[in-house]
Amino acid sequence: MLPRRVQAELLDGLAATDPVAARSRRDLQFLHRFMGTRTQLVRSLRQVEPKPGMTLRVLELGAGDGSLLLGVARDLAPVWPPVELTLMDRLPLVDGATVTEYARYGWTARSSVMDVLDWARAATESPADAASRWHVVIANLFLHHFEGLELTRVLGAIAANADALVACEPRRGWGALAGSHLVGGLGANAVTRTDAVLSVHAGFRERELTALWPGTAGWRLEEGASGAFSHCFRATRRQAQ
């Protein structure tokens, strides 16, 4: 079995305005399409059943430039109520054009510039009550950046402040590792090529996130391989259904 190993990825060390970072973020948009990430997220989010007349509060952690969920918003617009979306990232990458694009699908988007560990600390110290919890937290290719106590804190903060979590992460395995070495063939730059390999080493398999989820008695947890290279985890608070 491929052991889990978390290392800092190159993109995380680049300034928001670095042209190499901008190119790598465009690479990631292409890789998401190649991996079918949007389809996987839509499939999981369709299982969220909003109550009539409600406005869904959705938080995306590690949202980057906010572009990934645009396709999700388009696909869910016919069946979901209005959405208040918070795009959280440690860098200010969301622009006005992206916010305007979300509005086309009935989603009101805002950017929140914050380190997720700071958010997790504050959210754990003062957890939301049932009326003000996030309806859904989304983490896409994000949780694999953390291990040990940090990962436990992030998951604990989500569990205390949300009714559902949908996460799609790299699958840690030999097949995905082989695929990560081939992203250069898709035109990815050196940063993306390096980070793709690091991501697979830091990814998840089997029921690893389930084992870290706090208070499993009140939750329905689903975890496993999805598509060719992804590993998805969904947690749903039972009484929220």
Side-chain angles (χ1 to χ4, degrees), residues 2 7 53 58 61 104 106 109 122 139 145 147 172 226 240:
L2 192 66
Q7 295 178 265
V58 178
L61 300 176
R104 292 180 55 194
H145 291 283
E147 62 180 333
R172 194 177 77 255
S226 180

Side-chain angles (χ1 to χ4, degrees), residues 97-174:
T98 300
V99 172
T100 299
E101 190 70 11
Y102 274 111
R104 292 180 55 194
Y105 307 116
W107 290 37
T108 302
R110 60 178 288 270
S111 173
S112 175
V113 180
M114 179 180 291
D115 187 287
V116 70
L117 294 177
D118 293 334
W119 171 81
R121 188 177 303 107
T124 301
E125 292 173 354
S126 301
D129 58 28
S132 57
R133 286 195 296 251
W134 298 100
H135 293 116
V136 185
V137 171
I138 297 171
N140 182 69
L141 299 186
F142 182 69
L143 296 178
H144 73 278
H145 291 283
F146 305 97
E147 62 180 333
L149 184 58
E150 290 184 344
L151 179 56
T152 300
R153 285 176 175 169
V154 171
L155 293 176
I158 296 170
N161 291 274
D163 289 329
L165 165 67
V166 173
C168 288
E169 297 294 324
R171 184 190 309 165
R172 194 177 77 255
W174 295 110

Side-chain angles (χ1 to χ4, degrees), residues 178-197:
S180 70
H181 283 281
L182 300 177
V183 298
L186 301 175
N189 71 1
V191 169
T192 308
R193 294 196 300 269
T194 299
D195 285 353
V197 176

